[in-house]
Amino acid sequence: MVATLLHEIPLQGGDVTDGVVRVGDTVRRPASTSTPAVHALLRHLEAAGFEGAPRVVGMDGLGREILTFVPGTTGLCLASVTDEALIGLALLLREYHDATAGFPLTAEGWAGGSNDDKAPEIIGHCDLTLDNVIFRAGQPHALIDFDLARPTTRLFDIVTTLRHWAPIADPVDRPPLLRNLDVGARLRLFCDAYGVLPRDRRRLLELARIRFHRSYTAMRTRAAAGGNWAMMWAGGAGERIRRAASWLDVHEDELHAHLV
């Protein structure tokens, strides 16, 4: 009853989840079929001492999940496109992956989506867009929005992250601040900071191509069911994936040279 008396502030930024609000020092989010698995993961991260994720508070009287609010900023800005920020993100992602050690690597309860063919190694975030990383003092501080988390490989989650942060995208689809970056140099910088092994560096672009193909198919299937996925598809998400894959085909050799 007390929660309904508190002021709810809508939180913007995500493409898929509607109805996310801030209430005091908490965030309320509509529950989904993956909520129990995500809560178990977040509790595991808390027990492991990982500071870069929200904490689970519980559920409210409206059936929404309650998480702690993580102060900071998200989205594209001058600070988020620096080399220092990219290094910080690689270190944070490595810390997160390491913190998932010991958590069951089963597919039960997680959201579906594209994936690697290799056996799962960690629980990947799988959606580290610029809107899902909290910055403080110009550095990545925390990861939010674990709705698409699932068992996968380290490299798949790295590829998913670099899709947005290198970025592996046609320049026509990049925001102005990301349009003229040296993508190859940023791939190497991220991999160096994370500690990506040589065998995985050699496979990174191949896996990026596989992910483009599978994410296109997965998004098209989700869009057919309507909702926000359909809106994203109608807004050109499929075409952007296709252009990114074509751009990768043209520039693969120069990008690979940076990695190996």
Side-chain angles (χ1 to χ4, degrees):
M1 182 64 69
V2 174
T4 62
L5 300 177
L6 296 176
H7 183 54
E8 296 191 354
I9 304 171
L11 296 177
Q12 306 297 322
D15 290 320
V16 177
T17 305
D18 286 328
V20 181
V21 299
R22 178 181 177 183
V23 180
D25 291 329
T26 68
V27 172
R28 312 296 171 98
R29 296 169 51 88
S32 69
T33 55
S34 65
T35 295
V38 170
H39 282 194
L41 172 63
L42 293 177
R43 290 188 173 106
H44 173 88
L45 295 175
E46 181 177 9
F50 179 69
E51 298 292 336
R55 303 308 189 203
V56 177
V57 178
M59 306 294 290
D60 70 8
L62 299 177
R64 300 176 299 185
E65 62 172 329
I66 310 175
L67 305 174
T68 56
F69 175 75
V70 182
T73 60
T74 63
L76 185 63
C77 65
L78 288 173
S80 63
V81 302
T82 66
D83 288 351
E84 291 74 19
L86 190 66
I87 291 170
L89 180 62
L91 295 173
L92 182 60
L93 185 62
R94 176 62 188 260
E95 184 184 358
Y96 161 68
H97 285 168
D98 291 347
T100 70
F103 193 84
L105 297 177
T106 62
E108 185 176 349
W110 298 104
S114 58
N115 217 324
D116 199 345
D117 290 325
K118 294 184 177 295
E121 302 164 335
I122 46 90
I123 303 296
H125 183 285
C126 297
D127 193 29
L128 280 186
T129 66
L130 280 79
D131 289 324
N132 289 338
V133 178
I134 299 289
F135 273 74
R136 290 187 190 171
Q139 277 292 304
H141 172 75
L143 316 178
I144 60 172
D145 192 352
F146 286 77
D147 287 357
L148 298 182
R150 53 189 179 270
T152 189
T153 62
R154 289 176 181 263
L155 186 62
F156 185 86
D157 209 17
I158 288 169
V159 164
T160 300
T161 301
L162 289 171
R163 162 78 168 105
H164 304 287
W165 291 85
I168 306 176
D170 190 304
V172 72
D173 295 317
R174 301 179 201 168
L177 285 176
L178 298 175
R179 193 159 294 151
N180 297 315
L181 296 177
D182 186 336
V183 175
R186 286 173 66 81
L187 293 177
R188 184 181 184 100
L189 190 67
F190 187 99
C191 289
D192 286 349
Y194 183 98
V196 178
L197 297 174
R199 66 170 182 269
D200 288 329
R201 294 183 191 223
R202 289 191 290 271
R203 184 172 177 257
L204 190 150
L205 299 178
E206 172 194 346
L207 186 56
R209 182 174 290 102
I210 291 171
R211 181 185 175 275
F212 282 137
H213 173 72
R214 293 178 179 175
S215 63
Y216 180 92
T217 302
M219 183 170 283
R220 183 177 58 188
T221 300
R222 284 170 164 164
N228 282 353
W229 289 104
M231 292 176 59
M232 292 168 61
W233 189 262
E239 288 86 350
R240 288 190 291 274
I241 294 172
R242 290 299 199 208
R243 283 194 293 270
S246 296
W247 180 86
L248 177 58
D249 286 341
V250 172
H251 296 277
E252 180 174 8
D253 288 345
E254 62 190 79
L255 298 177
H256 189 72
H258 281 279
L259 288 167
V260 300

